[in-house]
PDB file of all heavy atoms in Angstrom:
ATOM      1  N   LEU A   1      -3.378   4.574   9.847  1.00 98.00           N
ATOM      2  CA  LEU A   1      -3.024   3.470   9.121  1.00 98.00           C
ATOM      3  C   LEU A   1      -3.678   3.312   7.817  1.00 98.00           C
ATOM      4  O   LEU A   1      -3.156   2.826   6.792  1.00 98.00           O
ATOM      5  CB  LEU A   1      -2.993   2.193  10.075  1.00 98.00           C
ATOM      6  CG  LEU A   1      -2.165   1.065   9.651  1.00 98.00           C
ATOM      7  CD1 LEU A   1      -0.680   1.491   9.653  1.00 98.00           C
ATOM      8  CD2 LEU A   1      -2.360  -0.065  10.567  1.00 98.00           C
ATOM      9  N   VAL A   2      -5.021   3.455   7.917  1.00 98.00           N
ATOM     10  CA  VAL A   2      -5.822   3.316   6.688  1.00 98.00           C
ATOM     11  C   VAL A   2      -5.403   4.360   5.649  1.00 98.00           C
ATOM     12  O   VAL A   2      -5.282   4.083   4.397  1.00 98.00           O
ATOM     13  CB  VAL A   2      -7.324   3.463   6.967  1.00 98.00           C
ATOM     14  CG1 VAL A   2      -8.127   3.692   5.732  1.00 98.00           C
ATOM     15  CG2 VAL A   2      -7.817   2.133   7.766  1.00 98.00           C
ATOM     16  N   GLU A   3      -5.062   5.586   5.993  1.00 98.00           N
ATOM     17  CA  GLU A   3      -4.774   6.640   5.209  1.00 98.00           C
ATOM     18  C   GLU A   3      -3.329   6.232   4.523  1.00 98.00           C
ATOM     19  O   GLU A   3      -3.124   6.514   3.391  1.00 98.00           O
ATOM     20  CB  GLU A   3      -4.619   7.977   5.902  1.00 98.00           C
ATOM     21  CG  GLU A   3      -5.936   8.525   6.236  1.00 98.00           C
ATOM     22  CD  GLU A   3      -5.801   9.792   7.185  1.00 98.00           C
ATOM     23  OE1 GLU A   3      -4.696  10.246   7.538  1.00 98.00           O
ATOM     24  OE2 GLU A   3      -6.939  10.224   7.543  1.00 98.00           O
ATOM     25  N   ALA A   4      -2.343   5.591   5.293  1.00 98.00           N
ATOM     26  CA  ALA A   4      -1.324   5.214   4.825  1.00 98.00           C
ATOM     27  C   ALA A   4      -1.399   3.997   3.725  1.00 98.00           C
ATOM     28  O   ALA A   4      -0.748   4.040   2.794  1.00 98.00           O
ATOM     29  CB  ALA A   4      -0.228   4.634   5.859  1.00 98.00           C
ATOM     30  N   ALA A   5      -2.397   3.265   4.090  1.00 98.00           N
ATOM     31  CA  ALA A   5      -2.700   2.031   2.939  1.00 98.00           C
ATOM     32  C   ALA A   5      -3.306   2.821   1.735  1.00 98.00           C
ATOM     33  O   ALA A   5      -3.018   2.297   0.565  1.00 98.00           O
ATOM     34  CB  ALA A   5      -3.664   1.086   3.621  1.00 98.00           C
ATOM     35  N   GLN A   6      -4.050   3.872   1.949  1.00 98.00           N
ATOM     36  CA  GLN A   6      -4.701   4.353   0.735  1.00 98.00           C
ATOM     37  C   GLN A   6      -3.569   5.103  -0.122  1.00 98.00           C
ATOM     38  O   GLN A   6      -3.542   5.026  -1.275  1.00 98.00           O
ATOM     39  CB  GLN A   6      -5.715   5.526   1.215  1.00 98.00           C
ATOM     40  CG  GLN A   6      -6.934   4.833   1.752  1.00 98.00           C
ATOM     41  CD  GLN A   6      -7.941   5.870   2.356  1.00 98.00           C
ATOM     42  OE1 GLN A   6      -7.510   6.858   2.865  1.00 98.00           O
ATOM     43  NE2 GLN A   6      -9.184   5.552   2.580  1.00 98.00           N
ATOM     44  N   GLU A   7      -2.652   5.706   0.538  1.00 98.00           N
ATOM     45  CA  GLU A   7      -1.512   6.391  -0.096  1.00 98.00           C
ATOM     46  C   GLU A   7      -0.706   5.381  -0.775  1.00 98.00           C
ATOM     47  O   GLU A   7      -0.210   5.594  -1.904  1.00 98.00           O
ATOM     48  CB  GLU A   7      -0.669   7.160   0.986  1.00 98.00           C
ATOM     49  CG  GLU A   7       0.620   7.678   0.385  1.00 98.00           C
ATOM     50  CD  GLU A   7       0.365   8.693  -0.708  1.00 98.00           C
ATOM     51  OE1 GLU A   7      -0.614   9.535  -0.736  1.00 98.00           O
ATOM     52  OE2 GLU A   7       1.370   8.991  -1.459  1.00 98.00           O
ATOM     53  N   ALA A   8      -0.596   4.209  -0.193  1.00 98.00           N
ATOM     54  CA  ALA A   8       0.278   3.132  -0.858  1.00 98.00           C
ATOM     55  C   ALA A   8      -0.325   2.628  -2.194  1.00 98.00           C
ATOM     56  O   ALA A   8       0.358   2.161  -3.039  1.00 98.00           O
ATOM     57  CB  ALA A   8       0.372   1.886   0.100  1.00 98.00           C
ATOM     58  N   THR A   9      -1.661   2.822  -2.299  1.00 98.00           N
ATOM     59  CA  THR A   9      -2.312   2.268  -3.728  1.00 98.00           C
ATOM     60  C   THR A   9      -1.830   3.282  -4.817  1.00 98.00           C
ATOM     61  O   THR A   9      -1.746   2.820  -5.952  1.00 98.00           O
ATOM     62  CB  THR A   9      -3.901   2.676  -3.693  1.00 98.00           C
ATOM     63  OG1 THR A   9      -4.179   3.990  -3.594  1.00 98.00           O
ATOM     64  CG2 THR A   9      -4.467   1.940  -2.470  1.00 98.00           C
ATOM     65  N   THR A  10      -1.282   4.491  -4.523  1.00 98.00           N
ATOM     66  CA  THR A  10      -0.635   5.206  -5.604  1.00 98.00           C
ATOM     67  C   THR A  10       0.567   4.672  -6.215  1.00 98.00           C
ATOM     68  O   THR A  10       1.089   5.139  -7.245  1.00 98.00           O
ATOM     69  CB  THR A  10      -0.373   6.702  -5.111  1.00 98.00           C
ATOM     70  OG1 THR A  10       0.563   6.698  -4.155  1.00 98.00           O
ATOM     71  CG2 THR A  10      -1.778   7.330  -4.676  1.00 98.00           C
ATOM     72  N   HIS A  11       1.203   3.639  -5.418  1.00 98.00           N
ATOM     73  CA  HIS A  11       2.617   3.072  -5.960  1.00 98.00           C
ATOM     74  C   HIS A  11       2.184   1.701  -6.610  1.00 98.00           C
ATOM     75  O   HIS A  11       3.202   1.096  -6.914  1.00 98.00           O
ATOM     76  CB  HIS A  11       3.431   2.877  -4.732  1.00 98.00           C
ATOM     77  CG  HIS A  11       3.727   4.242  -4.012  1.00 98.00           C
ATOM     78  ND1 HIS A  11       4.515   5.206  -4.694  1.00 98.00           N
ATOM     79  CD2 HIS A  11       3.441   4.823  -2.877  1.00 98.00           C
ATOM     80  CE1 HIS A  11       4.671   6.283  -3.889  1.00 98.00           C
ATOM     81  NE2 HIS A  11       3.845   5.951  -2.740  1.00 98.00           N
ATOM     82  N   ALA A  12       0.927   1.332  -6.601  1.00 98.00           N
ATOM     83  CA  ALA A  12       0.603  -0.023  -7.281  1.00 98.00           C
ATOM     84  C   ALA A  12       0.893   0.072  -8.708  1.00 98.00           C
ATOM     85  O   ALA A  12       0.803   0.972  -9.455  1.00 98.00           O
ATOM     86  CB  ALA A  12      -0.737  -0.388  -7.078  1.00 98.00           C
ATOM     87  N   HIS A  13       1.377  -1.211  -9.196  1.00 97.00           N
ATOM     88  CA  HIS A  13       1.507  -1.475 -10.707  1.00 97.00           C
ATOM     89  C   HIS A  13       0.438  -2.412 -11.053  1.00 97.00           C
ATOM     90  O   HIS A  13       0.539  -3.566 -10.952  1.00 97.00           O
ATOM     91  CB  HIS A  13       2.948  -1.956 -10.925  1.00 97.00           C
ATOM     92  CG  HIS A  13       3.240  -2.150 -12.308  1.00 97.00           C
ATOM     93  ND1 HIS A  13       3.252  -1.244 -13.185  1.00 97.00           N
ATOM     94  CD2 HIS A  13       3.234  -3.363 -13.116  1.00 97.00           C
ATOM     95  CE1 HIS A  13       3.533  -1.771 -14.415  1.00 97.00           C
ATOM     96  NE2 HIS A  13       3.477  -3.064 -14.269  1.00 97.00           N
ATOM     97  N   ALA A  14      -0.723  -1.896 -11.567  1.00 96.00           N
ATOM     98  CA  ALA A  14      -1.887  -2.734 -11.977  1.00 96.00           C
ATOM     99  C   ALA A  14      -2.305  -2.394 -13.436  1.00 96.00           C
ATOM    100  O   ALA A  14      -3.509  -1.964 -13.506  1.00 96.00           O
ATOM    101  CB  ALA A  14      -2.911  -2.526 -10.889  1.00 96.00           C
ATOM    102  N   PRO A  15      -1.506  -2.591 -14.370  1.00 95.00           N
ATOM    103  CA  PRO A  15      -1.871  -2.208 -15.679  1.00 95.00           C
ATOM    104  C   PRO A  15      -2.968  -3.050 -16.337  1.00 95.00           C
ATOM    105  O   PRO A  15      -3.577  -2.808 -17.435  1.00 95.00           O
ATOM    106  CB  PRO A  15      -0.595  -2.171 -16.537  1.00 95.00           C
ATOM    107  CG  PRO A  15       0.252  -3.181 -15.785  1.00 95.00           C
ATOM    108  CD  PRO A  15      -0.149  -3.015 -14.304  1.00 95.00           C
ATOM    109  N   TYR A  16      -3.197  -4.175 -15.760  1.00 94.00           N
ATOM    110  CA  TYR A  16      -4.090  -5.142 -16.399  1.00 94.00           C
ATOM    111  C   TYR A  16      -5.609  -5.112 -15.638  1.00 94.00           C
ATOM    112  O   TYR A  16      -6.573  -5.020 -16.317  1.00 94.00           O
ATOM    113  CB  TYR A  16      -3.473  -6.617 -16.220  1.00 94.00           C
ATOM    114  CG  TYR A  16      -2.089  -6.607 -16.853  1.00 94.00           C
ATOM    115  CD1 TYR A  16      -0.966  -6.758 -16.108  1.00 94.00           C
ATOM    116  CD2 TYR A  16      -1.848  -6.371 -18.243  1.00 94.00           C
ATOM    117  CE1 TYR A  16       0.258  -6.588 -16.664  1.00 94.00           C
ATOM    118  CE2 TYR A  16      -0.665  -6.322 -18.769  1.00 94.00           C
ATOM    119  CZ  TYR A  16       0.403  -6.480 -17.927  1.00 94.00           C
ATOM    120  OH  TYR A  16       1.692  -6.399 -18.580  1.00 94.00           O
ATOM    121  N   SER A  17      -5.460  -5.216 -14.286  1.00 94.00           N
ATOM    122  CA  SER A  17      -6.776  -5.208 -13.529  1.00 94.00           C
ATOM    123  C   SER A  17      -7.160  -3.945 -13.377  1.00 94.00           C
ATOM    124  O   SER A  17      -8.404  -3.571 -13.100  1.00 94.00           O
ATOM    125  CB  SER A  17      -6.636  -5.988 -12.245  1.00 94.00           C
ATOM    126  OG  SER A  17      -5.832  -5.234 -11.353  1.00 94.00           O
ATOM    127  N   HIS A  18      -6.265  -2.822 -13.334  1.00 96.00           N
ATOM    128  CA  HIS A  18      -6.662  -1.406 -12.990  1.00 96.00           C
ATOM    129  C   HIS A  18      -7.280  -1.422 -11.509  1.00 96.00           C
ATOM    130  O   HIS A  18      -7.973  -0.593 -11.194  1.00 96.00           O
ATOM    131  CB  HIS A  18      -7.547  -0.739 -13.864  1.00 96.00           C
ATOM    132  CG  HIS A  18      -6.972  -0.839 -15.296  1.00 96.00           C
ATOM    133  ND1 HIS A  18      -5.997  -0.107 -15.716  1.00 96.00           N
ATOM    134  CD2 HIS A  18      -7.341  -1.669 -16.360  1.00 96.00           C
ATOM    135  CE1 HIS A  18      -5.541  -0.418 -17.046  1.00 96.00           C
ATOM    136  NE2 HIS A  18      -6.536  -1.333 -17.507  1.00 96.00           N
ATOM    137  N   PHE A  19      -6.807  -2.298 -10.708  1.00 96.00           N
ATOM    138  CA  PHE A  19      -7.244  -2.452  -9.318  1.00 96.00           C
ATOM    139  C   PHE A  19      -6.095  -2.258  -8.483  1.00 96.00           C
ATOM    140  O   PHE A  19      -5.321  -3.216  -8.204  1.00 96.00           O
ATOM    141  CB  PHE A  19      -8.011  -3.658  -9.095  1.00 96.00           C
ATOM    142  CG  PHE A  19      -8.731  -3.854  -7.664  1.00 96.00           C
ATOM    143  CD1 PHE A  19      -9.871  -2.977  -7.453  1.00 96.00           C
ATOM    144  CD2 PHE A  19      -8.274  -4.666  -6.721  1.00 96.00           C
ATOM    145  CE1 PHE A  19     -10.438  -3.133  -6.266  1.00 96.00           C
ATOM    146  CE2 PHE A  19      -8.933  -4.741  -5.495  1.00 96.00           C
ATOM    147  CZ  PHE A  19     -10.026  -3.908  -5.238  1.00 96.00           C
ATOM    148  N   GLN A  20      -5.819  -1.094  -7.911  1.00 97.00           N
ATOM    149  CA  GLN A  20      -4.739  -0.787  -7.050  1.00 97.00           C
ATOM    150  C   GLN A  20      -4.916  -0.981  -5.687  1.00 97.00           C
ATOM    151  O   GLN A  20      -5.949  -0.507  -5.144  1.00 97.00           O
ATOM    152  CB  GLN A  20      -4.302   0.740  -7.408  1.00 97.00           C
ATOM    153  CG  GLN A  20      -3.953   0.990  -8.726  1.00 97.00           C
ATOM    154  CD  GLN A  20      -3.809   2.423  -9.061  1.00 97.00           C
ATOM    155  OE1 GLN A  20      -4.827   3.298  -8.696  1.00 97.00           O
ATOM    156  NE2 GLN A  20      -2.721   2.986  -9.579  1.00 97.00           N
ATOM    157  N   VAL A  21      -4.085  -1.810  -5.038  1.00 98.00           N
ATOM    158  CA  VAL A  21      -4.229  -2.215  -3.663  1.00 98.00           C
ATOM    159  C   VAL A  21      -3.028  -1.710  -2.794  1.00 98.00           C
ATOM    160  O   VAL A  21      -1.966  -1.829  -3.360  1.00 98.00           O
ATOM    161  CB  VAL A  21      -4.453  -3.711  -3.507  1.00 98.00           C
ATOM    162  CG1 VAL A  21      -4.742  -3.947  -2.018  1.00 98.00           C
ATOM    163  CG2 VAL A  21      -5.728  -4.228  -4.233  1.00 98.00           C
ATOM    164  N   GLY A  22      -3.337  -1.151  -1.668  1.00 98.00           N
ATOM    165  CA  GLY A  22      -2.235  -0.659  -0.787  1.00 98.00           C
ATOM    166  C   GLY A  22      -2.505  -1.363   0.562  1.00 98.00           C
ATOM    167  O   GLY A  22      -3.437  -1.629   1.011  1.00 98.00           O
ATOM    168  N   ALA A  23      -1.410  -1.478   1.241  1.00 98.00           N
ATOM    169  CA  ALA A  23      -1.342  -2.037   2.544  1.00 98.00           C
ATOM    170  C   ALA A  23      -0.423  -1.215   3.420  1.00 98.00           C
ATOM    171  O   ALA A  23       0.673  -0.791   2.920  1.00 98.00           O
ATOM    172  CB  ALA A  23      -1.034  -3.631   2.594  1.00 98.00           C
ATOM    173  N   ALA A  24      -0.741  -1.065   4.727  1.00 98.00           N
ATOM    174  CA  ALA A  24       0.156  -0.536   5.631  1.00 98.00           C
ATOM    175  C   ALA A  24       0.117  -1.255   6.955  1.00 98.00           C
ATOM    176  O   ALA A  24      -0.873  -1.759   7.255  1.00 98.00           O
ATOM    177  CB  ALA A  24      -0.197   0.940   5.905  1.00 98.00           C
ATOM    178  N   ALA A  25       1.256  -1.388   7.583  1.00 98.00           N
ATOM    179  CA  ALA A  25       1.425  -2.189   8.833  1.00 98.00           C
ATOM    180  C   ALA A  25       2.103  -1.349   9.878  1.00 98.00           C
ATOM    181  O   ALA A  25       3.018  -0.668   9.524  1.00 98.00           O
ATOM    182  CB  ALA A  25       2.248  -3.484   8.604  1.00 98.00           C
ATOM    183  N   ARG A  26       1.469  -1.402  11.092  1.00 98.00           N
ATOM    184  CA  ARG A  26       2.191  -0.825  12.280  1.00 98.00           C
ATOM    185  C   ARG A  26       2.850  -1.886  12.945  1.00 98.00           C
ATOM    186  O   ARG A  26       2.270  -2.901  13.456  1.00 98.00           O
ATOM    187  CB  ARG A  26       1.261  -0.149  13.084  1.00 98.00           C
ATOM    188  CG  ARG A  26       1.822   0.533  14.285  1.00 98.00           C
ATOM    189  CD  ARG A  26       0.943   1.306  15.259  1.00 98.00           C
ATOM    190  NE  ARG A  26       0.250   2.433  14.546  1.00 98.00           N
ATOM    191  CZ  ARG A  26      -1.025   2.316  14.057  1.00 98.00           C
ATOM    192  NH1 ARG A  26      -1.835   1.172  14.207  1.00 98.00           N
ATOM    193  NH2 ARG A  26      -1.569   3.299  13.477  1.00 98.00           N
ATOM    194  N   LEU A  27       4.152  -1.726  13.116  1.00 98.00           N
ATOM    195  CA  LEU A  27       4.987  -2.652  13.947  1.00 98.00           C
ATOM    196  C   LEU A  27       4.861  -2.327  15.484  1.00 98.00           C
ATOM    197  O   LEU A  27       4.575  -1.225  15.817  1.00 98.00           O
ATOM    198  CB  LEU A  27       6.340  -2.742  13.491  1.00 98.00           C
ATOM    199  CG  LEU A  27       6.623  -2.954  12.006  1.00 98.00           C
ATOM    200  CD1 LEU A  27       8.061  -3.015  11.733  1.00 98.00           C
ATOM    201  CD2 LEU A  27       5.923  -4.128  11.418  1.00 98.00           C
ATOM    202  N   ARG A  28       5.297  -3.181  16.232  1.00 98.00           N
ATOM    203  CA  ARG A  28       5.232  -3.098  17.687  1.00 98.00           C
ATOM    204  C   ARG A  28       6.113  -1.741  18.148  1.00 98.00           C
ATOM    205  O   ARG A  28       5.788  -1.105  19.025  1.00 98.00           O
ATOM    206  CB  ARG A  28       5.666  -4.248  18.551  1.00 98.00           C
ATOM    207  CG  ARG A  28       5.701  -3.996  20.056  1.00 98.00           C
ATOM    208  CD  ARG A  28       6.008  -5.245  20.727  1.00 98.00           C
ATOM    209  NE  ARG A  28       4.901  -6.326  20.385  1.00 98.00           N
ATOM    210  CZ  ARG A  28       5.022  -7.558  20.669  1.00 98.00           C
ATOM    211  NH1 ARG A  28       6.399  -8.069  21.016  1.00 98.00           N
ATOM    212  NH2 ARG A  28       4.083  -8.444  20.362  1.00 98.00           N
ATOM    213  N   SER A  29       7.084  -1.515  17.313  1.00 98.00           N
ATOM    214  CA  SER A  29       7.961  -0.420  17.670  1.00 98.00           C
ATOM    215  C   SER A  29       7.281   0.969  17.267  1.00 98.00           C
ATOM    216  O   SER A  29       7.858   1.951  17.489  1.00 98.00           O
ATOM    217  CB  SER A  29       9.250  -0.533  16.893  1.00 98.00           C
ATOM    218  OG  SER A  29       9.109  -0.473  15.447  1.00 98.00           O
ATOM    219  N   GLY A  30       6.278   0.875  16.553  1.00 98.00           N
ATOM    220  CA  GLY A  30       5.485   2.055  16.012  1.00 98.00           C
ATOM    221  C   GLY A  30       5.847   2.449  14.507  1.00 98.00           C
ATOM    222  O   GLY A  30       5.267   3.202  13.959  1.00 98.00           O
ATOM    223  N   ARG A  31       6.886   1.668  14.058  1.00 98.00           N
ATOM    224  CA  ARG A  31       7.291   1.861  12.560  1.00 98.00           C
ATOM    225  C   ARG A  31       6.157   1.545  11.709  1.00 98.00           C
ATOM    226  O   ARG A  31       5.378   0.529  11.950  1.00 98.00           O
ATOM    227  CB  ARG A  31       8.462   0.981  12.383  1.00 98.00           C
ATOM    228  CG  ARG A  31       8.974   1.110  10.857  1.00 98.00           C
ATOM    229  CD  ARG A  31      10.249   0.200  10.477  1.00 98.00           C
ATOM    230  NE  ARG A  31      11.217   0.400  11.461  1.00 98.00           N
ATOM    231  CZ  ARG A  31      12.293   1.060  11.243  1.00 98.00           C
ATOM    232  NH1 ARG A  31      12.429   1.784  10.204  1.00 98.00           N
ATOM    233  NH2 ARG A  31      13.169   1.017  12.178  1.00 98.00           N
ATOM    234  N   ILE A  32       5.915   2.273  10.697  1.00 98.00           N
ATOM    235  CA  ILE A  32       4.859   1.973   9.713  1.00 98.00           C
ATOM    236  C   ILE A  32       5.566   1.506   8.357  1.00 98.00           C
ATOM    237  O   ILE A  32       6.358   2.322   7.926  1.00 98.00           O
ATOM    238  CB  ILE A  32       4.010   3.370   9.282  1.00 98.00           C
ATOM    239  CG1 ILE A  32       3.430   3.820  10.598  1.00 98.00           C
ATOM    240  CG2 ILE A  32       2.876   2.937   8.274  1.00 98.00           C
ATOM    241  CD1 ILE A  32       2.333   2.897  11.301  1.00 98.00           C
ATOM    242  N   LEU A  33       5.114   0.395   7.847  1.00 98.00           N
ATOM    243  CA  LEU A  33       5.666  -0.060   6.573  1.00 98.00           C
ATOM    244  C   LEU A  33       4.526   0.000   5.564  1.00 98.00           C
ATOM    245  O   LEU A  33       3.345  -0.102   5.929  1.00 98.00           O
ATOM    246  CB  LEU A  33       6.108  -1.467   6.818  1.00 98.00           C
ATOM    247  CG  LEU A  33       7.235  -1.746   7.809  1.00 98.00           C
ATOM    248  CD1 LEU A  33       7.470  -3.287   7.770  1.00 98.00           C
ATOM    249  CD2 LEU A  33       8.450  -1.016   7.487  1.00 98.00           C
ATOM    250  N   HIS A  34       4.873   0.020   4.279  1.00 97.00           N
ATOM    251  CA  HIS A  34       3.875   0.118   3.206  1.00 97.00           C
ATOM    252  C   HIS A  34       4.108  -0.945   2.104  1.00 97.00           C
ATOM    253  O   HIS A  34       5.319  -1.283   1.894  1.00 97.00           O
ATOM    254  CB  HIS A  34       4.011   1.503   2.495  1.00 97.00           C
ATOM    255  CG  HIS A  34       3.878   2.620   3.507  1.00 97.00           C
ATOM    256  ND1 HIS A  34       4.924   3.217   4.050  1.00 97.00           N
ATOM    257  CD2 HIS A  34       2.850   3.279   3.860  1.00 97.00           C
ATOM    258  CE1 HIS A  34       4.592   4.122   4.880  1.00 97.00           C
ATOM    259  NE2 HIS A  34       3.326   4.286   4.755  1.00 97.00           N
ATOM    260  N   GLY A  35       3.180  -1.292   1.439  1.00 98.00           N
ATOM    261  CA  GLY A  35       3.166  -2.284   0.194  1.00 98.00           C
ATOM    262  C   GLY A  35       2.016  -1.958  -0.652  1.00 98.00           C
ATOM    263  O   GLY A  35       1.066  -1.379  -0.247  1.00 98.00           O
ATOM    264  N   SER A  36       2.247  -2.494  -2.007  1.00 98.00           N
ATOM    265  CA  SER A  36       1.380  -2.258  -2.902  1.00 98.00           C
ATOM    266  C   SER A  36       1.332  -3.511  -3.844  1.00 98.00           C
ATOM    267  O   SER A  36       2.362  -4.172  -3.945  1.00 98.00           O
ATOM    268  CB  SER A  36       1.414  -1.001  -3.692  1.00 98.00           C
ATOM    269  OG  SER A  36       2.663  -0.825  -4.332  1.00 98.00           O
ATOM    270  N   ASN A  37       0.320  -3.660  -4.583  1.00 98.00           N
ATOM    271  CA  ASN A  37       0.276  -4.915  -5.544  1.00 98.00           C
ATOM    272  C   ASN A  37       1.197  -4.551  -6.783  1.00 98.00           C
ATOM    273  O   ASN A  37       1.239  -3.410  -7.170  1.00 98.00           O
ATOM    274  CB  ASN A  37      -1.134  -5.279  -5.826  1.00 98.00           C
ATOM    275  CG  ASN A  37      -1.864  -4.218  -6.579  1.00 98.00           C
ATOM    276  OD1 ASN A  37      -1.865  -2.977  -6.332  1.00 98.00           O
ATOM    277  ND2 ASN A  37      -2.857  -4.598  -7.510  1.00 98.00           N
ATOM    278  N   PHE A  38       1.553  -5.601  -7.434  1.00 97.00           N
ATOM    279  CA  PHE A  38       2.426  -5.571  -8.542  1.00 97.00           C
ATOM    280  C   PHE A  38       1.986  -6.697  -9.547  1.00 97.00           C
ATOM    281  O   PHE A  38       2.137  -7.761  -9.228  1.00 97.00           O
ATOM    282  CB  PHE A  38       3.883  -5.611  -8.203  1.00 97.00           C
ATOM    283  CG  PHE A  38       4.722  -5.399  -9.400  1.00 97.00           C
ATOM    284  CD1 PHE A  38       5.274  -4.164  -9.494  1.00 97.00           C
ATOM    285  CD2 PHE A  38       5.077  -6.320 -10.337  1.00 97.00           C
ATOM    286  CE1 PHE A  38       6.177  -3.855 -10.686  1.00 97.00           C
ATOM    287  CE2 PHE A  38       5.834  -6.156 -11.445  1.00 97.00           C
ATOM    288  CZ  PHE A  38       6.500  -4.883 -11.530  1.00 97.00           C
TER     289      PHE A  38
END
């Protein structure tokens, strides 16, 4: 899950702070979702 969050940082849009953040969540079903900052 941490690796998925790290991968999600590559999709961040952070042209001002240059601080890319990624998040990944494991749902009860086992599905993994991703998000990044914008």
Side-chain angles (χ1 to χ4, degrees):
L1 200 60
V2 167
E3 290 169 1
Q6 290 170 336
E7 173 64 25
T9 67
T10 65
H11 302 290
H13 179 70
Y16 310 107
S17 71
H18 306 287
F19 190 69
Q20 300 166 307
V21 180
R26 178 180 303 100
L27 308 182
R28 183 172 292 156
S29 67
R31 181 186 306 267
I32 304 292
L33 303 179
H34 308 88
S36 56
N37 61 323
F38 188 95

